[in-house]
Amino acid sequence: MPGSRRLLTRLRELMAGGTEGAAVLRDFVSLVAGEMVAEVCSVYTLRPGDLLELTATHGLNPDAVGRTRLRVGEGIVGVVAATGQVQNLPDAQNHPAFAYRAETGEQPFASLLAGPVRRAGRTLGVLAVQNRAPRRYTPDELEVLQTVAMLLAEVLAAGGAADGAEEGIGATLPRLFQARALAPGIAIGLVVRYGTGAPPRRMLADDPDAEMTRLRAALATMRRDLDALIQERLPDAGGPDHPDLLASREVLEATRLVAANDGWVRRVAEGVEGGLSAEAAVHQVVGELRERMRRIIDPYLRERLADLEDLADRLLHALEGSTNLQAVPPGAILLSRRLGPAQLLDWHARGIAGVAIEEGSPAGHAAIVARALGIPAIGGARGMLEAVQAGDDAVLDTDDAVLILRPDAEVRQAYCRALGDRERREAGFAAHRDRPAVTADGTALSLMLNIGLALEVGQIEATGAAGIGLFRTEI
């Protein structure tokens, strides 16, 4: 939209002008109010202790700046910070969550549009606009607010907004996270954190046409690399003796279909046309889809968000001209908020011993591939990414469905013994692989293998099964 591009241009000039602190926030809210034809524009910044402080406003009582505070979850602004969801209200003061603060002088304003200010997956504050006339803000206005919030996140981060990170001795103590098993096994090793959503280094485009050219080239690279990944992981590329080089054509083909879809790509292109850098446009579109998909009840459909974020990550690396390979210590445990199947194949090739997916479920493509590859995996370990520190080690136990972060020496030794017992037990099973399947009274049986991926065909020879008993086509 022309108005959106004009606003972004003016905000870019403001942010490049050398103004800092409270002054830049004052100019920021005035610009946004003017371009959005809002009578009020306010910024609430997250402070330590889960407090939201009014740090800048255009239209409310300026004396309320620094005085008005709300707890996360308190009032409409607090609800936005707690849930990460936009509130678009034509009559905010009659909303059940409304919290009246007399010092703000907001009584005359009926309608309110408020959205979270997020950076690297963490909420730093809330941006809100208000008008006297009761009305619901349009989708275009909502998009402008969300775009502006991305820029505001950089200002708040530089100004010392709280980010919810753990501090002090609590970040060094052992932590246990309950989860659910996705693929069986035990893993012990250093942790590698992935997918926490680093913000783009450049938010605004100097030349939208040149930025669009970059985007098209990166899309072509992303799709070409995905095609190459599929070809490298086909069953006939490695054969049953090399299961680590095989992958499910079915799962990866589904990911390739998402990559070829014009819907989300068109939304990214519209962001670039509006003045965002290609990287910022990708972050914006994926962020919008993330919030929508989190509200979907069906867990299988909600899991497709991991596939989209897999592609977005590949597109971002293509834009930056860098590889998405990250150094992995031998036998490391991968911690990720979400994980797509192609990403898991990349990490498996680099030698991870286990994976914990914060929002993973048994219906996810990554869980399906983990079971096929024999990678111990758990899902639903909420809060682990915020708790982990560089250099931490962990124990992943799918029998009890737990992740133990920074285990003490006794716990680690106990799990090392359990892992050794498991390996010896599996070796004992392997000794019986080629023996005939006959009962004690001489009745011959056919032991068959149930599989759901072409990748698992190699397990027929590895286990000595007589064939496939059930091929699960629903995958």
Side-chain angles (χ1 to χ4, degrees):
M1 296 181 297
S4 174
R5 180 178 293 186
R6 182 176 61 247
L7 174 58
L8 292 180
T9 299
R10 296 185 66 185
L11 290 174
R12 178 175 58 205
E13 293 170 352
L14 170 65
M15 296 169 69
T19 308
E20 297 180 355
V24 71
L25 281 178
R26 283 196 302 269
D27 293 343
F28 195 102
V29 294
S30 296
L31 274 175
V32 174
E35 291 293 341
M36 293 189 66
V37 196
E39 293 166 275
V40 173
C41 179
S42 303
V43 172
Y44 294 82
T45 302
L46 187 63
R47 300 301 192 197
D50 282 346
L51 290 175
L52 291 158
E53 177 186 305
L54 179 64
T55 48
T57 187
H58 172 92
L60 296 184
N61 184 359
D63 292 336
V65 172
R67 294 174 51 203
T68 296
R69 294 181 177 87
L70 296 162
R71 292 198 174 276
V72 171
E74 179 187 12
I76 296 169
V77 167
V79 168
V80 171
T83 64
Q85 296 181 6
V86 172
Q87 293 289 326
N88 186 354
L89 305 173
D91 187 8
Q93 296 189 30
N94 284 317
H95 189 278
F98 181 76
Y100 178 65
R101 293 292 187 270
E103 71 274 10
T104 63
E106 64 178 329
Q107 298 93 328
F109 306 104
S111 53
L112 178 143
L113 177 65
V117 179
R118 296 173 64 84
R119 186 175 189 268
R122 293 174 173 175
T123 298
L124 300 183
V126 175
L127 175 64
V129 296
Q130 296 172 265
N131 286 88
R132 295 173 187 268
R135 70 184 185 91
R136 192 172 295 278
Y137 292 86
T138 68
D140 284 346
E141 290 171 316
L142 172 59
E143 183 175 339
V144 170
L145 184 89
Q146 291 174 322
T147 301
V148 170
M150 292 177 61
L151 302 179
L152 180 59
E154 302 306 308
V155 178
L156 295 189
D163 63 4
E166 292 195 22
E167 296 179 357
I169 192 171
T172 65
L173 296 176
R175 291 283 302 274
L176 184 146
F177 297 91
Q178 292 289 342
R180 53 184 175 272
L182 303 181
I186 294 175
I188 305 169
L190 294 173
V191 298
V192 175
R193 184 167 58 176
Y194 174 70
T196 52
R201 292 191 293 267
R202 185 169 57 91
M203 299 295 299
L204 301 175
D206 297 322
D207 183 347
D209 291 336
E211 206 68 13
M212 190 65 71
T213 300
R214 290 183 63 236
L215 175 62
R216 293 193 186 102
L219 283 166
T221 298
M222 176 196 71
R223 290 164 177 161
R224 184 172 60 250
D225 290 348
L226 187 58
D227 288 344
L229 177 65
I230 293 174
Q231 293 300 320
E232 290 172 4
R233 301 297 195 264
L234 291 179
D236 58 7
D241 295 331
H242 301 279
D244 59 321
L245 298 179
L246 307 180
S248 162
R249 176 185 288 274
E250 296 89 346
V251 169
L252 289 179
E253 286 288 357
T255 304
R256 184 160 61 177
L257 286 175
V258 179
N261 183 272
D262 287 336
W264 71 281
V265 173
R266 184 172 60 253
R267 297 284 292 124
V268 173
E270 289 171 356
V272 173
E273 291 171 354
L276 291 176
S277 69
E279 291 87 347
V282 173
H283 275 269
Q284 180 189 47
V285 170
V286 173
E288 292 172 357
L289 290 173
R290 180 185 299 119
E291 295 306 319
R292 292 181 186 178
M293 294 177 78
R294 279 178 174 171
R295 294 193 288 272
I296 294 174
I297 296 175
D298 189 319
Y300 180 83
L301 294 177
R302 197 165 57 240
E303 277 286 343
R304 302 290 70 76
L305 176 59
D307 299 352
L308 179 62
E309 291 190 333
D310 183 333
L311 295 171
D313 180 69
R314 292 174 183 276
L315 180 55
L316 289 170
H317 284 290
L319 284 165
E320 296 167 359
S322 63
T323 176
N324 62 351
L325 298 182
Q326 181 178 335
V328 178
I333 298 174
L334 178 66
L335 272 57
S336 179
R337 197 171 306 281
R338 285 169 292 276
L339 198 68
Q343 289 170 322
L344 179 55
L345 288 167
D346 284 338
W347 284 101
H348 179 247
R350 282 177 271 161
I352 61 167
V355 59
I357 309 172
E358 197 167 81
E359 297 183 10
S361 78
H365 284 166
I368 294 169
V369 173
R371 290 193 289 271
L373 293 172
I375 303 174
I378 59 171
R382 299 284 182 175
M384 65 177 185
L385 290 174
E386 283 71 26
V388 69
Q389 303 289 319
D392 282 347
D393 63 343
V395 169
L396 187 153
D397 175 12
T398 67
D399 292 339
D400 292 330
V402 295
L403 176 75
I404 305 173
L405 195 61
R406 299 181 290 270
D408 58 35
E410 291 183 2
V411 170
R412 185 182 178 89
Q413 290 171 4
Y415 273 101
C416 284
R417 289 193 296 270
L419 185 59
D421 291 342
R422 180 185 290 263
E423 291 172 349
R424 286 188 291 273
R425 186 167 62 250
E426 290 177 354
F429 293 155
H432 296 279
R433 183 187 66 179
D434 298 323
R435 296 182 62 183
V438 181
T439 65
D441 62 358
T443 301
L445 303 173
S446 292
L447 294 180
M448 313 289 275
L449 188 69
N450 292 348
I451 67 174
L453 299 174
L455 163 59
E456 296 172 291
V457 171
Q459 294 299 316
I460 296 175
E461 180 177 343
T463 60
I468 298 174
L470 172 67
F471 190 92
R472 299 188 298 273
T473 58
E474 73 276 9
I475 297 175

